[in-house]
């Protein structure tokens, strides 16, 4: 039985923010996906989260059904400020936050800015690149080429060139929705991976945080974990050994098991 309730839009932080809601009961939980992941592509994750939480999956600006176009700011600060604005618009005065990849960087920035009502923070394999640091492993053409192809029309089988290990259903969904990713928004986010040092904000994060690391992702190395622990000594770290950067796609059960009791209940 599905936990999906509805999709919706709110006006928050000066833009239209689209979301998908699952569950509707329990503590509020906001999910912020990665650089080219519209909210709907996280539906298979949110279905299970919705069994335990009142779960909202966001379309980040420039993606999915949220505001897009040439007049918006797609930088880290603007996108991070969308998160608490979204929570306020829906009257969520207490919520947990899960961010994956780019979404985890936005979550760190939002938490460092205060984010009223934010209780706990789950950071799923955030890029640790930045000025003077090791480059993010993925390359920009991988994103841009696939978006341009999707904009012309592509099948799930066409998408297999970019995501070889994904299921037929996952490939078809990405092929259907990738065209909603506005290319300049993606380029700005990718540039910010290398131009914004997210580490500088970690000492200001006061909420309990869980760092989930992909064992086969190549994004976060042991030395990065050591540095993050120095910057936020109380952070909890867990590794999903058999997963690449797209952890839920590679090992869904391992992804849920990695939460343990961090959110005060098991989601495994």
């Amino acid at each position: 039985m599905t936990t999906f309730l509805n999709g919706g839009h709110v006006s928050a932080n000066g833009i239209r923010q689209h979301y998908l809601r699952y569950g509707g009961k329990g503590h509020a939980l906001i999910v912020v996906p990665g650089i080219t992941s519209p909210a709907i592509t996280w539906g298979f994750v949110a279905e299970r989260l919705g069994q335990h939480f009142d779960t909202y999956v966001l379309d980040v600006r420039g993606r999915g059904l949220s505001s897009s176009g040439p007049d918006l700011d797609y930088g880290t600060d603007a996108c991070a400020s969308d998160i608490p604005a979204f929570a306020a618009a829906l009257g969520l005065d207490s919520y947990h936050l899960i961010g994956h990849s780019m979404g985890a960087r936005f979550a760190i920035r939002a938490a460092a800015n205060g984010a009223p009502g934010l209780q706990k923070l789950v950071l799923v394999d955030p890029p640790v690149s930045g000025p003077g640091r090791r480059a993010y492993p993925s390359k920009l053409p991988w994103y841009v080429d696939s978006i341009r192809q999707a904009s012309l029309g592509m099948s799930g089988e066409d998408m297999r060139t970019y995501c070889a290990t994904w299921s037929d259903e996952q490939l078809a969904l990405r092929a259907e929705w990738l065209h909603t990713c506005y290319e300049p928004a993606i380029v700005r986010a990718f540039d910010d991976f290398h131009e914004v040092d997210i580490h500088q904000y970690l000492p200001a994060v006061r909420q309990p945080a869980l760092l989930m690391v992909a064992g086969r992702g190549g994004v976060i190395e042991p030395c990065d974990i050591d540095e993050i622990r120095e910057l936020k000594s109380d952070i909890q770290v867990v590794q999903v050994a058999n997963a690449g950067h797209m952890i839920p796609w590679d090992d869904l059960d391992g992804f849920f098991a990695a939460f343990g009791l961090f959110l005060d209940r098991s989601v495994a």
Side-chain angles (χ1 to χ4, degrees):
M1 182 176 178
T2 183
T3 63
F4 176 71
L5 293 178
N6 59 273
H9 299 86
V10 294
S11 176
N13 203 30
I15 65 167
R16 181 187 69 253
Q17 296 196 43
H18 176 255
Y19 65 92
L20 301 176
R21 187 181 184 188
Y22 295 78
K25 297 180 181 179
H27 200 85
L29 173 67
I30 299 174
V31 179
V32 185
I35 185 170
T36 54
S37 294
I40 196 169
T41 64
W42 272 75
F44 73 108
V45 179
E47 283 281 5
R48 191 182 303 187
L49 292 172
Q51 296 174 12
H52 307 278
F53 301 98
D54 185 12
T55 302
Y56 300 81
V57 188
L58 292 188
D59 271 329
V60 176
R61 60 169 68 197
R63 298 149 180 90
L65 301 181
S66 288
S67 290
S68 188
D71 297 329
L72 294 185
D73 180 357
Y74 298 103
T76 296
D77 284 353
C79 293
S81 65
D82 286 342
I83 299 170
F86 172 80
L90 284 179
L92 305 179
D93 56 6
S94 179
Y95 64 95
H96 302 317
L97 181 59
I98 298 173
H100 172 244
S101 191
M102 175 196 74
R105 289 171 63 96
F106 294 165
I108 291 169
R109 186 70 179 108
N113 281 342
L118 176 57
Q119 302 300 308
K120 292 187 176 182
L121 188 62
V122 180
L123 308 172
V124 183
D125 220 42
V128 291
S129 45
R133 295 180 178 274
R134 183 179 72 252
Y136 182 59
S138 295
K139 305 302 180 186
L140 184 59
W142 186 89
Y143 300 103
V144 171
D145 292 350
S146 60
I147 291 169
R148 291 178 180 177
Q149 188 173 348
S151 296
L152 296 174
M154 69 188 306
S155 67
E157 192 57 37
D158 295 331
M159 185 61 72
R160 197 178 301 279
T161 300
Y162 300 94
C163 307
T165 64
W166 289 21
S167 70
D168 290 345
E169 182 179 5
Q170 291 164 347
L171 291 168
L173 192 62
R174 184 170 176 82
E176 179 184 1
W177 281 87
L178 186 60
H179 76 93
T180 69
C181 294
Y182 182 55
E183 185 178 321
I186 307 311
V187 172
R188 176 61 188 274
F190 187 86
D191 287 346
D192 273 11
F193 286 175
H194 301 89
E195 295 172 5
V196 176
D197 190 348
I198 206 67
H199 298 75
Q200 65 185 301
Y201 304 119
L202 283 167
V205 175
R206 303 305 179 194
Q207 299 84 354
L210 174 69
L211 175 66
M212 190 182 301
V213 178
R216 297 189 291 105
V219 173
I220 299 177
E221 301 291 348
C223 60
D224 303 312
I225 296 173
D226 291 342
E227 181 180 9
I228 290 170
R229 280 179 163 148
E230 288 180 3
L231 294 168
K232 183 169 174 56
S233 60
D234 63 344
I235 197 167
Q236 298 181 37
V237 180
V238 62
Q239 186 175 83
V240 184
N242 296 319
H245 181 59
M246 303 297 285
I247 296 177
W249 283 256
D250 292 339
D251 185 358
L252 185 60
D253 289 338
F255 171 75
F256 286 118
F259 283 85
L261 297 177
F262 179 73
L263 296 180
D264 302 321
R265 62 177 62 194
S266 172
V267 296

